[in-house]
Amino acid sequence: MSEEAQMSNPVLIAAFEGWNDACQAATNVIRYLVGRYESREIRHISCDGYYDYQVARPMMCHAAGYANLIWPQTTFYDIALSPQYHLYAQIAPEPNYRWRQYCNESLAIAEELDVNQIITMGSMFSDCPHTRPLPLSISDSKCQCEGDREYNGPVGIPTVLDVAAADQGFAHASMWVSIPQYLGSDECAAGTIRLLHALGKHIGYTFDTGDLQSKAEQWKAQASVLVRCNDQLGDYVSHLEHEYDLKKKADEEASLGAPQAEQLVREAEDYLRQMGE
């Protein structure tokens, strides 16, 4: 058994650049954790056979007078949140080819590391306002959780990896944050924070969000300026706010359960009876 595998109940989080990563909110979770905590690269998956280099192009990097090509690849990190608590992370551009084989290779590494749960993360553009908490969709192998809705349609590699993990018997979870589509593709620290909080709640750990909070506030302030300068956009955001608030109220009422709902009905009936007297 490897040194890494000796940790108790290790978790692997995975995020992928591209279609599944609106405003880099999902992959920035891993970049932030790698930069904030003591981390080291422990595994890689070679790029050969998985990428179309006209889509995921290699990058030229000059250092110390030498030119180096950096090819797209998958990197696994061991992130030490504390001396006793480690987290594994997988980050890569979304592969272009052979997704089944790619997922099998990813899960083989997870098994080698004795991972007992795999958490995939993504971010997507959506019709939601920047003035409200960004919507989360979370599900796991035990329950359908906050904001989760049945989805039918195209999927990316996080979903394929999540399904493959389930098929191979891993505990698994999926976390997605929605990003306002009207704000373009600039990085969204608010979305990254939402995913970090969701991840922390899921694994029972409180992350230090550091300067992410100030970046999120700056993102929101810039969005508000943009909205104030465009009456049509302002009307659109007001419409989104109204829909968001209605949905939140409906969800809260639906979560009350039968006894509370019956009490609300009785209170409404008493009020109407008094109005008629």
Side-chain angles (χ1 to χ4, degrees):
M1 182 179 293
S2 68
E3 175 185 350
E4 296 91 344
Q6 296 177 24
M7 294 182 296
S8 61
N9 300 322
V11 171
L12 171 69
I13 62 174
F16 300 87
E17 301 168 0
W19 188 70
N20 319 275
D21 191 30
C23 294
Q24 298 80 58
T27 53
N28 276 350
V29 169
I30 294 177
R31 294 188 187 98
Y32 176 77
L33 293 177
V34 167
R36 173 64 182 81
Y37 298 93
E38 181 180 347
S39 306
R40 60 191 179 99
E41 297 183 18
I42 56 172
R43 300 288 190 280
H44 298 91
I45 295 177
S46 171
C47 56
D48 291 341
Y50 291 125
Y51 291 101
D52 177 347
Y53 296 134
Q54 290 182 322
V55 177
R57 292 181 179 272
M59 302 292 291
M60 176 68 75
C61 177
H62 289 84
Y66 293 93
N68 297 286
L69 280 175
I70 301 176
W71 296 86
Q73 70 172 358
T74 300
T75 302
F76 290 81
Y77 290 94
D78 175 1
I79 303 172
L81 303 178
S82 72
Q84 297 78 29
Y85 199 167
H86 287 232
L87 184 71
Y88 295 126
Q90 174 182 1
I91 185 171
E94 181 178 55
N96 303 110
Y97 307 120
R98 300 162 63 200
W99 282 14
R100 290 190 181 93
Q101 181 172 337
Y102 178 86
C103 289
N104 287 335
E105 192 168 351
S106 297
L107 294 174
I109 292 175
E111 185 173 4
E112 177 188 347
L113 297 172
D114 259 7
V115 164
N116 74 339
Q117 182 172 197
I118 294 173
I119 302 173
T120 57
M121 295 184 294
S123 52
M124 57 187 172
F125 289 114
S126 180
D127 292 325
C128 59
H130 71 279
T131 53
R132 302 290 189 270
L134 298 180
L136 281 169
S137 178
I138 304 173
S139 63
D140 64 29
S141 51
K142 298 179 181 178
C143 67
Q144 302 299 310
C145 305
E146 176 185 354
D148 188 62
R149 296 291 184 273
E150 290 187 2
Y151 169 74
N152 297 292
V155 298
I157 194 68
T159 304
V160 176
L161 180 60
D162 186 61
V163 172
D167 290 344
Q168 294 193 25
F170 287 91
H172 59 97
S174 175
M175 301 179 178
W176 287 77
V177 65
S178 294
I179 309 294
Q181 53 83 20
Y182 57 86
L183 293 181
S185 59
D186 290 343
E187 291 188 8
C188 179
T192 299
I193 288 178
R194 287 284 277 167
L195 286 172
L196 270 174
H197 287 332
L199 175 62
K201 181 179 179 181
H202 189 81
I203 66 174
Y205 187 87
T206 301
F207 293 104
D208 176 7
T209 54
D211 61 350
L212 275 178
Q213 193 61 51
S214 61
K215 290 181 179 179
E217 292 170 357
Q218 182 180 12
W219 171 84
K220 186 175 179 180
Q222 291 173 339
S224 296
V225 170
L226 178 65
V227 170
R228 286 197 298 269
C229 293
N230 186 320
D231 292 340
Q232 186 175 2
L233 181 56
D235 292 340
Y236 174 64
V237 172
S238 295
H239 171 71
L240 293 179
E241 290 173 336
H242 180 67
E243 287 192 336
Y244 186 104
D245 294 341
L246 285 178
K247 181 180 181 300
K248 180 181 179 182
K249 183 177 180 181
D251 289 343
E252 289 173 349
E253 292 177 351
S255 68
L256 290 176
Q260 293 89 338
E262 291 175 2
Q263 178 63 29
L264 286 175
V265 171
R266 286 195 295 270
E267 291 176 358
E269 290 174 344
D270 291 343
Y271 174 77
L272 292 174
R273 190 179 303 111
Q274 292 172 8
M275 292 291 291
E277 291 177 352

